Amino acid sequence: MRRNIFKRGISLIEVIIGVAIISLSTIYISQAYGGFVAASADNVARVQATFLLDEGVEAVKTLRGESWTKVASTTVGVPYYLIWNTDRWAATTTPQVTDGRFYRTMIFSTVNRDASFNISTTTGTLDNGTRKVDLAVAWNEKGSTSTRSISMYVFNIFN
Amino acid sequence: MKHIQTKNNKAGMTLIELVIYFSLLAVLSAVVVSSIFSLFKSYASIKVGQDMETTAIQVLDRMTRDIHDADSILVNLSSFGIPSSYVTLSMNSSASETIKYYVASTTKIAVDKNGVYLGELSLSTVKIDNFLIRYINGTSTQALKIELGLIGEVRNASTTIYKNFYTTVQLRD
């Protein structure tokens, strides 16, 4: 009789432990899978951000195409945003958000040239016909900020 | 007496065991079934996301390439600023080669070459919400601002995803 009780007790504990192991692992696996899904679902945002970045590069060129002053008159080091102004792009310091999520900034900086007219970050004289533009698209992804960025030089080729 | 007691004891334990076991089994099966359902659901939403990305990349990358290469924009054969815009590009004015991008049967982006239907760029699982092209006619440069709004329907979840893709492309010629 003692042996019987002992035997039955073990089988109940076994069931509880077994069920606990299986259900915990199922929960963990499905949680991990949920994480992978979230990561891959937000890939659309990365594609959207990349296109916005491409657009930024081309929009800076359309600003240059309108007049070099639009590029050259920007304050160095201050983030600018692209704003659609009826039929053209314009730069503004007022933050602009696309689709309620994406912030696209452009930071202009001056460029120096050395004696052989190569771009120099340390020495040289200021070249007013060249600007460096650092473009970035930032968006919120599950509470943290993701960023895509690109840098370009823009030259005064029309005036 | 001893024999009866043992029997009673045995029966009680088995019943409790069964109740506990079946309730645990029910809880466990509920967890497993719901996670299997969520696997199917998330597969469907990933698939829709991928189809939307593929469509956006196919449409916008091809348009970008063609606009960069184009000789000019044939404004009289284009319609700008409306949700189903279309644009006709002159690819080689001496050979009068043209490429037209437009919304076909309200659900897909299609391409015509020299006025002849060439094919679709969007996947059949994705619908077009918005294909808005704006013409930037600047002093030194011309560009097109393209807005592509896509609708993806997630199967088995009856949810619809809307995503917008934006780009601007300048003519290089």
Side-chain angles (χ1 to χ4, degrees), chain B residues 46-99:
Chain B
I46 286 182
K47 182 78 176 66
V48 168
Q50 278 182 344
D51 287 352
M52 292 171 101
E53 284 166 30
T54 309
T55 299
I57 290 169
Q58 279 181 178
V59 173
L60 296 179
D61 277 4
R62 195 191 157 118
M63 288 186 76
T64 301
R65 224 166 37 235
D66 278 350
I67 295 167
H68 278 161
D69 284 350
D71 281 354
S72 64
I73 298 164
L74 301 174
V75 179
N76 56 330
L77 296 174
S78 306
S79 173
F80 300 118
I82 56 165
S84 349
S85 302
Y86 54 90
V87 61
T88 309
L89 304 166
S90 168
M91 302 307 292
N92 186 340
S93 45
S94 52
S96 64
E97 185 189 330
T98 61
I99 296 272

Side-chain angles (χ1 to χ4, degrees), chain A residues 4-144:
Chain A
N4 273 345
I5 290 170
F6 183 68
K7 222 179 184 174
R8 282 197 295 270
I10 282 292
S11 79
L12 180 59
I13 290 170
E14 273 175 3
V15 167
I16 291 170
I17 291 174
V19 166
I21 289 172
I22 292 169
S23 49
L24 281 179
S25 42
T26 310
I27 288 165
Y28 283 130
I29 289 170
S30 63
Q31 273 179 355
Y33 188 80
F36 304 149
V37 168
S40 125
D42 251 5
N43 201 43
V44 178
R46 285 186 270 274
V47 174
Q48 287 175 295
T50 309
F51 277 119
L52 285 170
L53 212 51
D54 278 355
E55 181 174 61
V57 170
E58 299 275 310
V60 170
K61 292 182 194 168
T62 65
L63 291 180
R64 181 263 314 270
E66 276 185 60
S67 83
W68 177 248
T69 324
K70 298 217 171 192
V71 175
S73 66
T74 51
T75 312
V76 166
V78 173
Y80 279 84
Y81 297 81
L82 285 164
I83 184 169
W84 181 251
N85 186 3
T86 320
D87 59 351
R88 68 193 66 190
W89 284 110
T92 172
T93 49
T94 313
Q96 302 292 317
V97 58
T98 307
D99 282 359
R101 191 174 186 199
F102 299 95
Y103 289 85
R104 176 174 48 198
T105 52
M106 316 181 278
I107 295 178
F108 294 87
S109 47
T110 50
V111 170
N112 286 349
R113 302 264 186 186
D114 64 15
S116 43
F117 216 60
N118 289 322
I119 287 172
S120 161
T121 48
T122 48
T123 56
T125 51
L126 174 71
D127 175 11
N128 246 327
T130 307
R131 285 287 184 279
K132 184 174 183 256
V133 191
D134 294 299
L135 283 141
V137 174
W139 72 98
N140 191 304
E141 197 173 284
K142 303 238 163 350
S144 64

Side-chain angles (χ1 to χ4, degrees), chain B residues 21 25 36 43 76 81 88 91-93 99 102-103 106-107 119 122 132 137 139 144-145 159 165-166 171:
Chain B
Y21 176 71
L25 185 71
I36 286 174
Y43 169 75
N76 56 330
T88 309
M91 302 307 292
N92 186 340
S93 45
I99 296 272
Y102 61 102
V103 180
T106 71
T107 52
S122 52
L132 180 67
N137 193 4
T139 43
L144 294 175
K145 179 183 188 290
T159 48
F165 298 84
Y166 304 90
L171 265 75

Side-chain angles (χ1 to χ4, degrees), chain B residues 94-155:
Chain B
S94 52
S96 64
E97 185 189 330
T98 61
I99 296 272
K100 182 186 178 188
Y101 289 93
Y102 61 102
V103 180
S105 18
T106 71
T107 52
K108 40 202 152 199
I109 304 288
V111 192
D112 283 1
K113 188 178 181 183
N114 299 331
V116 179
Y117 176 74
L118 198 64
E120 287 158 23
L121 290 176
S122 52
L123 297 182
S124 57
T125 47
V126 174
K127 290 196 173 101
I128 310 302
D129 184 30
N130 189 18
F131 184 57
L132 180 67
I133 306 173
R134 292 176 203 276
Y135 179 40
I136 305 172
N137 193 4
T139 43
S140 315
T141 54
Q142 292 186 322
L144 294 175
K145 179 183 188 290
I146 308 163
E147 208 176 307
L148 179 65
L150 298 178
I151 309 173
E153 269 155 31
V154 184
R155 274 190 303 132

